[in-house]
Amino acid sequence: MTTIYLIRHAEAEGNLYRIAQGQHESSLTDRGWRQVRALERRFAGVPIDAVYASDLYRTRATATAVCRPRNLPLHRCPGLREICVGNWEGRTWGDIARTTPEAMADFGRRMDRWAIPGAETPAEVLARVKAAVEDIARANPGKTLALFSHGYAIRLLLANLQGISLRDTGEKSPTGDNTAVSLLEWDGEALRVVFMNDNRHLKTPEYLAEETGVRRAFALEPGLWFRPLERPEERLAAAWAGAGESGPVPAASLTLEGLLGEEPAGLLHMAPETGRICLAYIRPDCRRRGLGVQLLGQAVLHTRARGGEELSAAPLPGGPGEAYLRDCGFTPGEETEGRALWRKVIGFDPSI
């Protein structure tokens, strides 16, 4: 009997920033790295003979929880990749919900009829992932394996192995949490589900002690969509004052307006060529809804697109901006013009 631990990747940028990832590359969040450490603790006493992961960065990074402590090589398997979502990739869920609401609803509820330009169909993903898991099992008879894949792909496979159709997968087979663990067995002919979507390692005192109470969006909850701000002078000045700042608004090459439905909810004003954030502002009545972090997601996308590997900001000392940056993984450093300069690395680790 071959034993297979099938594990979803840790929280990645798209999960937090409400961006459709698909096969688009993204890094892990700070919470994601805490989940990796929790996963390492969970598997500390579990014998593992081989480790496989999708070749996307977020699964490879998560797999370090199991392969590095054992000095095992990480086998990259493109067959374990997430579904390719075509022209949705890299777009916010808010934008997708606004432009193609019926397709977005089908993506989570009626996989049998979801199809968009340039994307794989769920049936194609199921065939690909199932074939990859079976091939890996055949190559490792009698061993214990750890396989790292993605939420949608794992959901499709687990439903199929339990006899649930694509039509009913949305209703009867939920997506597991980031780093959720499922256990499969392979008898040489077929796969069997022993248990699924177990997240006990995210409920330990060690993990919970590092968690924050900050509200985050979840699942396919849409969130914001973004567009360049037209005639930004007046709106920028009002947001600048609303953030407690005084004096002129710093010059920067990119100003984005974040909208919730059709209502303006926030502004991002930054220089993506250097990664410097001048203003990240959410309207007061839209705060504490998990929206502010989505501004940071746009800063990451635009800075990384220009080859940048770091974000920086200089908020008002003691103001709410410092708490926002701290929760988003920034750390304070040297002072500039009487303010601490907060930085966050957004580059990919070349050793993974």
Side-chain angles (χ1 to χ4, degrees):
M1 187 71 69
T2 300
T3 300
I4 301 170
Y5 290 99
L6 183 61
I7 305 160
R8 186 186 176 195
H9 66 77
E11 184 185 79
E13 290 169 337
N15 304 129
L16 178 60
Y17 302 149
R18 313 313 306 139
I19 294 169
Q21 295 180 112
Q23 296 183 2
H24 179 81
E25 283 287 33
S26 62
S27 189
L28 298 186
T29 65
D30 298 303
R31 171 183 277 180
W33 283 112
R34 293 196 297 270
Q35 292 171 345
V36 169
R37 294 194 293 272
L39 200 61
E40 181 177 345
R41 290 192 294 267
R42 173 174 181 158
F43 278 89
V46 179
I48 299 291
D49 298 305
V51 182
Y52 291 77
S54 146
D55 58 342
L56 298 177
Y57 182 88
R58 58 191 184 270
T59 42
R60 295 178 356 237
T62 308
T64 62
V66 176
C67 65
R68 285 188 171 176
R70 295 164 177 79
N71 292 316
L72 290 172
L74 176 59
H75 302 283
R76 300 186 185 188
C77 179
L80 296 176
R81 276 189 172 204
E82 182 60 292
I83 183 172
C84 171
V85 292
N87 62 20
W88 284 9
E89 296 204 357
R91 292 169 58 191
T92 67
W93 287 115
D95 182 35
I96 293 165
R98 171 178 168 270
T99 55
T100 53
E102 292 183 1
M104 182 167 172
D106 285 344
F107 185 68
R109 299 173 190 164
R110 283 294 302 271
M111 287 79 159
D112 59 310
R113 64 188 185 193
W114 183 81
I116 64 168
E120 294 177 284
T121 66
E124 290 170 337
V125 177
L126 172 59
R128 165 172 61 78
V129 173
K130 189 173 184 179
V133 174
E134 290 179 346
D135 287 346
I136 292 169
R138 288 190 190 96
N140 294 275
K143 294 182 179 180
T144 298
L145 312 174
L147 274 57
F148 290 81
S149 188
H150 303 259
Y152 203 82
I154 291 173
R155 183 183 188 186
L156 293 171
L157 178 61
L158 292 176
N160 176 264
L161 295 180
Q162 296 174 94
I164 300 171
S165 68
L166 277 177
R167 175 189 173 90
D168 295 332
T169 293
E171 178 183 350
K172 298 181 179 180
S173 182
T175 301
D177 292 336
N178 291 111
T179 68
V181 178
S182 299
L183 181 62
L184 311 179
E185 289 181 343
W186 167 259
D187 63 5
E189 296 184 2
L191 292 164
R192 180 178 75 89
V193 178
V194 179
F195 64 75
M196 55 185 283
N197 296 332
D198 183 87
N199 67 348
R200 72 185 73 172
H201 53 286
L202 303 183
K203 299 178 181 180
T204 65
E206 295 96 326
Y207 178 77
L208 294 175
E210 297 181 300
E211 278 290 84
T212 69
V214 175
R215 199 271 192 204
R216 299 178 181 218
F218 62 92
L220 297 183
E221 186 176 352
L224 300 176
W225 62 280
F226 294 86
R227 67 185 178 192
L229 181 63
E230 297 182 0
R231 300 185 298 276
E233 292 78 11
E234 182 177 339
R235 294 272 304 281
L236 257 181
W240 184 249
E245 297 282 4
S246 59
V249 181
S253 59
L254 178 68
T255 305
L256 295 177
E257 178 179 40
L259 296 98
L260 193 61
E262 298 302 319
E263 284 293 316
L267 292 174
L268 173 69
H269 184 58
M270 71 169 300
E273 57 276 4
T274 63
R276 183 65 174 269
I277 298 172
C278 302
L279 176 66
Y281 176 79
I282 292 291
R283 208 174 69 198
D285 61 320
C286 291
R287 293 171 186 169
R288 301 187 181 280
R289 298 169 62 180
L291 301 177
V293 74
Q294 296 174 44
L295 300 176
L296 177 63
Q298 294 303 300
V300 170
L301 288 180
H302 284 273
T303 300
R304 194 177 281 155
R306 290 162 175 78
E309 296 188 346
E310 184 180 81
L311 299 178
S312 64
L316 277 171
E322 290 189 338
Y324 165 77
L325 292 175
R326 184 178 293 107
D327 183 63
C328 291
F330 285 73
T331 55
E334 74 277 14
E335 286 201 0
T336 175
E337 299 179 358
R339 299 187 181 193
L341 186 64
W342 293 63
R343 300 178 183 275
K344 178 181 177 66
V345 175
I346 61 170
F348 296 101
D349 184 343
S351 70
I352 293 174

